[in-house]
Amino acid sequence: GDSVTQMEGPVTLSEEAFLTINCTYTATGYPSLFWYVQYPGEGLQLLLKATKADDKGSNKGFEATYRKETTSFHLEKGSVQVSDSAVYFCALLDTGRRALTFGSGTRLQVQP
Amino acid sequence: EAGVTQFPSHSVIEKGQTVTLRCDPISGHDNLYWYRRVMGKEIKFLLHFVKESKQDESGMPNNRFLAERTGGTYSTLKVQPAELEDSGVYFCASSQVGNSPLHFGNGTRLTVT
């Protein structure tokens, strides 16, 4: 079946540091890939997505590239801010499915 | 527009009691999903409604869980009787059509003691 594996947290960084959160996946079809973010006290929000191999999703300074050869969709940001502190979830939507498959989430804490 | 609303935001109940969670999707969204995150693990799919019909309930853990969406508007998820392992955060999400972006609610944190 489908699965998503992402690095365990928490990840603690200083402001303006470079961020990478690793995500790899297993899927039977040709999935679309997503990053969702949950800020404290809020629901999940779509951060970015990519629908096919080599696509790059980007939003709010975050980027992730759909790498089919390594089945990965790592999230990166060049310079994090305190306001980026949140839990980040990698997810996939496989061909013919309507339900997302999520990873376990990675908590990011950015210190001033 | 109003977002997806879930009620209550927190619920603490004793083992063996019954709890009902409610989700109000965005108006006009036919698709409604329930997900659950248990003890900081991955968010797992529970079930999917299209209007009032259950499209996929393959993620429902057992028959102690009952979801309804009468009239195709709001949905309820009842847990009866609750067990300790049911503790977690229950998320609801809705979308307009099948492949359009999901809008999530803030979740209901359920604690069973």
Side-chain angles (χ1 to χ4, degrees), chain B residues 20-89:
Chain B
T20 300
L21 314 181
R22 173 169 169 146
C23 169
D24 286 74
I26 292 173
S27 178
H29 282 196
D30 287 343
N31 291 274
L32 188 149
Y33 302 80
W34 284 98
Y35 288 85
R36 175 174 76 167
R37 187 183 191 210
V38 174
M39 290 189 63
K41 297 188 177 178
E42 67 269 24
I43 299 172
K44 287 197 170 181
F45 167 76
L46 296 178
L47 87 159
H48 169 211
F49 284 99
V50 177
K51 297 186 180 178
E52 66 274 10
S53 299
K54 291 177 185 174
Q55 193 75 11
D56 180 354
E57 51 183 328
S58 61
M60 294 288 265
N62 53 60
N63 59 10
R64 295 185 294 103
F65 289 75
L66 175 64
E68 295 180 320
R69 193 183 181 195
T70 307
T73 54
Y74 71 90
S75 174
T76 58
L77 178 65
K78 182 162 73 173
V79 185
Q80 178 183 29
E83 298 289 345
L84 298 178
E85 64 264 26
D86 301 332
S87 296
V89 180

Side-chain angles (χ1 to χ4, degrees), chain A:
Chain A
D2 299 342
S3 67
V4 175
T5 303
Q6 56 183 112
M7 59 190 292
E8 287 192 26
V11 174
T12 303
L13 296 174
S14 298
E15 208 165 20
E16 298 184 3
F18 185 85
L19 168 72
T20 300
I21 300 178
N22 290 339
C23 171
T24 57
Y25 67 90
T26 303
T28 54
Y30 301 94
S32 295
L33 303 175
F34 306 82
W35 277 99
Y36 280 82
V37 58
Q38 184 182 20
Y39 297 104
E42 299 183 14
L44 291 160
Q45 301 174 25
L46 178 63
L47 180 60
L48 54 83
K49 70 176 184 180
T51 58
K52 61 183 188 298
D54 300 324
D55 269 2
K56 177 186 284 188
S58 60
N59 186 24
K60 299 182 181 180
F62 291 88
E63 292 183 342
T65 301
Y66 188 140
R67 301 283 188 205
K68 190 173 178 209
E69 63 276 13
T70 54
T71 61
S72 65
F73 193 54
H74 305 321
L75 182 68
E76 296 182 335
K77 186 174 185 183
S79 176
V80 293
Q81 305 300 312
V82 172
S83 57
D84 294 326
S85 298
V87 182
Y88 293 81
F89 293 91
C90 186
L92 69 84
L93 184 64
D94 208 348
T95 312
R97 293 293 312 277
R98 294 284 184 88
L100 290 165
T101 299
F102 284 91
S104 56
T106 302
R107 180 175 298 278
L108 170 66
Q109 290 180 289
V110 181
Q111 297 176 336

